[in-house]
Amino acid sequence: MANYDWIVVGGGITGAALSYELARQGGSVLLLEKEALPASATRYSYGGLAHWAGKTPLLKALGEEGIQRYRTLSEELEADIHFRELDLLLLVAPGYSVETVEADLADCRIPPQRIPVETACELEPLLQPAALEGVLWAQHGHIHPWLTTLAFRRAFQRLGGSLLFQSVTGLRRQGQRITGVETPADFHGAAQVVVCAGGWTRALLRQAGIYAPIYFTHAESLELEPATVRLRTIVMSAPVQRLELERQAAHPDRDPLWDKPGQELCPPILDVGILQFLDGSIRLGQISRVLTDPQAQLDATSGEAQIRAQVGRYLPQVAQLPGRWCHCLVAFSGDHYPLVGSLPGWEGLQLFSGFSSPLAILPALARRFAQQAYGQADEWLPSLSPARFTAPSPPAPSLEGERTRNCLSPLLR
């Protein structure tokens, strides 16, 4: 039985980044992931970095800090993460006016600019101009999320960190203290266990008799094979419906239903998103469903048809390219902010999860978490503590404003 300072549960991009930062601080860290290439939110991420989209002081500060880190992250991690900055075209969805969407985004860190349809089609010649009712433009960051995850993992291992591909079957507790994790073959002990399991976080905690205000959607997207068709931009519809879906799904009246299998708490939504990676593959999506069973079976044929039909309105040349349907869980909290820190009432247990869209702010939060863990006070992290759902929030301006409208990033996570 090995004992560590830290066990990080979940080896996606959040867990990999946090493990790396904890190891940089000199901690002995074990990172556990069930598979070498899991069908997770990291694997099926768009890789978008909506650093411009924050509307609160916290998200604006972390967005700026995050994009600055990404610009040098390949050098730091000694690996190419395919970082680039692209034109993002926000296509105003039917039923909304461009004036309404523009006004809603006016308080972003870098507000998107309205552009003529003709200009949008010059930036992205594959667009169908007749389908465009209005377009906003922003400069959007982008990485390859899986290559970035691998880069964090390898840098973590160079620092002496341990990576094991084992399923975590449970948390071991002594009273109100978590002492380690169970796997099918072993027990691993640690002074602190950090759960970075994304959409599986709730199920893992509930199995140990622990409640946390964390939820998940079932996200459906398509992964198209590398194509000769070349997209010049990132395309997505606006406003993002998923923000309202999450707000409704996490309403206190619905909370008891989350632990009952077979519940669909809200009607599904489809936010159009189209992005091409440097290898030529294309991501189309996405449908979000609020089903309380994390292992719910979805209709892949129906989901694929719906996505292709909606994308086809805007980019018909792309919509029918060959590819496959993908499905994963995406975690979120009750106020669209991640859960970062100790869970009230428990010792030895921390959360670094609930990121609807982790990428833009992830490097900054992972570094701040690790620095605070080793004695450096942080101005922002107290506002993200899970304790905010059970006690008055710490005095900080970062959570002021309309929580349901804080960013666009959940689609391009």
Side-chain angles (χ1 to χ4, degrees):
M1 179 184 74
N3 282 288
Y4 300 88
D5 297 326
W6 300 88
I7 291 177
V8 177
V9 179
I13 194 165
T14 54
L18 184 60
S19 298
Y20 165 72
E21 294 294 350
L22 290 168
R24 282 186 73 250
Q25 295 295 321
S28 60
V29 185
L30 171 64
L31 174 60
L32 289 169
E33 171 55 59
K34 62 180 179 179
E35 300 174 65
L37 183 60
S40 65
T42 295
R43 170 65 180 82
Y44 298 129
S45 169
Y46 291 80
L49 308 175
H51 62 92
W52 53 270
K55 293 186 174 184
T56 64
L58 181 150
L59 290 176
K60 289 179 180 181
L62 294 180
E64 171 65 21
E65 188 176 335
I67 195 64
Q68 295 300 335
R69 282 285 311 282
Y70 276 116
R71 288 172 177 147
T72 60
L73 195 56
S74 287
E75 180 180 0
E76 178 182 334
L77 300 180
E78 302 178 18
D80 186 0
I81 64 171
H82 290 189
F83 172 77
R84 51 190 173 145
E85 296 182 70
L86 297 171
D87 295 316
L88 169 66
L89 301 180
L90 300 170
L91 312 183
V92 176
Y96 295 88
S97 70
V98 65
E99 291 81 11
T100 299
V101 175
E102 185 177 32
D104 185 58
L105 301 176
D107 53 350
C108 289
R109 187 176 77 86
I110 305 175
Q113 303 171 20
R114 190 194 314 194
I115 61 173
V117 167
E118 295 76 15
T119 302
C121 292
E122 290 173 4
L123 292 172
E124 184 49 78
L126 296 177
L127 280 172
Q128 185 72 21
L132 305 181
E133 301 182 24
V135 184
L136 300 176
W137 170 91
Q139 188 173 64
H140 203 72
H142 186 254
I143 58 169
H144 192 296
W146 188 245
L147 291 181
T148 306
T149 301
L150 293 178
F152 272 123
R153 287 183 185 178
R154 290 165 182 159
F156 161 68
Q157 290 176 293
R158 288 196 297 271
L159 292 170
S162 300
L163 170 63
L164 292 178
F165 294 109
Q166 295 181 359
S167 297
V168 173
T169 56
L171 305 177
R172 183 175 292 187
R173 50 180 287 191
Q174 294 179 354
Q176 296 299 110
R177 179 174 182 80
I178 300 301
T179 61
V181 302
E182 304 277 358
T183 68
D186 209 347
F187 164 75
H188 303 282
Q192 294 286 332
V193 173
V194 190
V195 179
C196 303
W200 291 97
T201 297
R202 185 181 182 93
L204 177 63
L205 294 175
R206 292 303 273 171
Q207 186 179 18
I210 301 170
Y211 169 80
I214 187 167
Y215 314 95
F216 55 88
T217 55
H218 291 259
E220 301 174 58
S221 63
L222 304 184
E223 185 173 68
L224 305 186
E225 299 170 5
T228 55
V229 170
R230 303 304 297 183
L231 286 161
R232 298 182 184 177
T233 66
I234 302 172
V235 176
M236 64 181 288
S237 59
V240 175
Q241 301 177 75
R242 185 163 167 251
L243 293 169
E244 177 61 20
L245 180 75
E246 291 179 354
R247 187 192 68 80
Q248 294 180 15
H251 191 278
D253 290 346
R254 288 187 168 96
D255 202 71
L257 299 175
W258 274 96
D259 295 314
K260 295 182 179 180
Q263 303 291 314
E264 183 169 19
L265 303 187
C266 303
I269 58 93
L270 196 163
D271 287 311
V272 173
I274 306 128
L275 181 142
Q276 188 168 37
F277 293 92
L278 288 176
D279 66 1
S281 63
I282 298 173
R283 180 84 62 220
L284 305 182
Q286 76 183 35
I287 298 172
S288 297
R289 302 182 189 273
V290 185
L291 305 172
T292 57
D293 183 355
Q295 298 182 349
Q297 298 299 306
L298 306 184
D299 186 340
T301 301
S302 174
E304 179 171 351
Q306 291 178 56
I307 293 171
R308 289 188 183 277
Q310 289 299 314
V311 170
R313 295 180 65 248
Y314 302 112
L315 284 92
Q317 288 180 259
V318 173
Q320 297 308 315
L321 293 172
R324 66 187 187 94
W325 175 87
C326 307
H327 164 243
C328 65
L329 301 182
V330 177
F332 66 95
S333 74
D335 61 4
H336 302 296
Y337 288 82
L339 299 170
V340 178
S342 300
L343 198 60
W346 295 90
E347 296 182 40
L349 176 64
Q350 303 207 41
L351 300 184
F352 193 74
S353 193
F355 293 81
S356 290
S357 176
L359 299 185
I361 62 175
L362 174 63
L365 278 182
R367 178 151 294 181
R368 286 170 174 270
F369 182 106
Q371 289 174 340
Q372 179 174 270
Y374 283 87
Q376 183 174 323
D378 191 274
E379 62 177 317
W380 298 119
L381 292 188
S383 296
L384 301 178
S385 167
R388 70 185 186 269
F389 290 103
T390 57
S393 299
S398 56
L399 299 187
E400 295 176 355
E402 297 180 60
R403 294 174 186 265
T404 62
R405 300 170 57 241
N406 58 27
C407 66
L408 278 171
S409 55
L411 177 60
L412 297 175
R413 64 187 188 279

